[in-house]
Amino acid sequence: MSRSERLLDLVQTLRRHRLPVSARALASELGVSIRTLYRDIATLQGQGAPIEGEAGLGYVLRPGFMLPPLMFTDEEIEAIVLGSRWVAKQPDNRLSKAAADALAKIAAVLPDDLREDLDASTLLVGPRTGASEGIELAAVRQAIRDEQKLAITYSDAGGSDSERIVWPFALGFFDKVRVMVAWCEMRQDFRHFRTDRIARLDATGLRYPKRRQALLKQWRMTLEDAPQR
């Protein structure tokens, strides 16, 4: 167990106790020595954690304390690295660069031991697969954020093109394809559009009449109601 993970466990243990708890009881629960426990409490207090008490009397964590945002467990570090590396392999160039930049920012402010864990992560992502996109995925993400309609030319599986006005509200990333989830004005229903089949995409500057969270909730309900195969 890393030192940072041990400190997190100590904070969580203190949170479970409303009344002061002895150092011996804390050390036993955490599986560390009394000396290590005293040192960890001093470290947390030095970082601003409102831990009250002293040796022989017990310790209590004052309510309302929020954990420092850059203290992670080993598995949280692995999740961050794996997720960032996966996004960095996606064909959305701006999102890919943002993932690499975010990981670099996190690494820059992590404690030394956690930075070493991040750099040494052995969870790898395979090479990018699938064809390149014919459109800029950043434009889709922007339309989702702005809750604006898009005008698209879409080619179905049979190769037939159609002009659509859609209300995009989600973008799914799969190993080989990306899928835009949207309300289609032509079909008057939810539709899933593979982004590699979108030949043209134009921003309309027009807001669609529903909030994207409402559309997302309604779409999820249709999935739950769909017959199971």
Side-chain angles (χ1 to χ4, degrees), residues 143-213:
I144 292 173
R145 285 195 295 267
D146 295 341
E147 299 181 335
Q148 291 190 350
K149 300 180 182 181
L150 291 174
I152 66 172
T153 300
Y154 190 70
S155 179
D156 63 20
S160 299
D161 291 344
S162 59
E163 304 295 325
R164 314 276 188 112
I165 300 294
V166 299
W167 311 350
F169 58 87
L171 187 60
F173 287 79
F174 300 89
D175 285 341
K176 296 184 179 180
V177 297
R178 271 56 56 192
V179 176
M180 176 178 69
V181 187
W183 175 267
C184 177
E185 290 190 354
M186 183 175 75
R187 299 299 186 190
Q188 286 296 294
D189 200 356
F190 294 110
R191 286 292 185 269
H192 304 141
F193 300 95
R194 282 181 47 164
T195 56
D196 59 335
R197 292 179 180 170
I198 299 177
R200 180 186 60 85
L201 181 148
D202 294 315
T204 66
L206 302 174
R207 289 182 64 90
Y208 46 74
K210 291 187 178 181
R211 302 307 303 269
R212 66 172 180 269
Q213 290 299 331

Side-chain angles (χ1 to χ4, degrees), residues 38-53:
Y38 286 148
R39 186 168 61 245
D40 287 348
I41 286 177
T43 297
L44 287 172
Q45 289 173 328
Q47 293 177 354
I51 300 174
E52 299 176 346

Side-chain angles (χ1 to χ4, degrees), residues 72-91:
F72 301 107
T73 66
D74 290 340
E75 289 190 339
E76 287 169 344
I77 286 287
E78 290 180 339
I80 291 170
V81 173
L82 185 61
S84 298
R85 287 176 177 174
W86 187 84
V87 173
K89 295 281 188 177
Q90 295 303 306

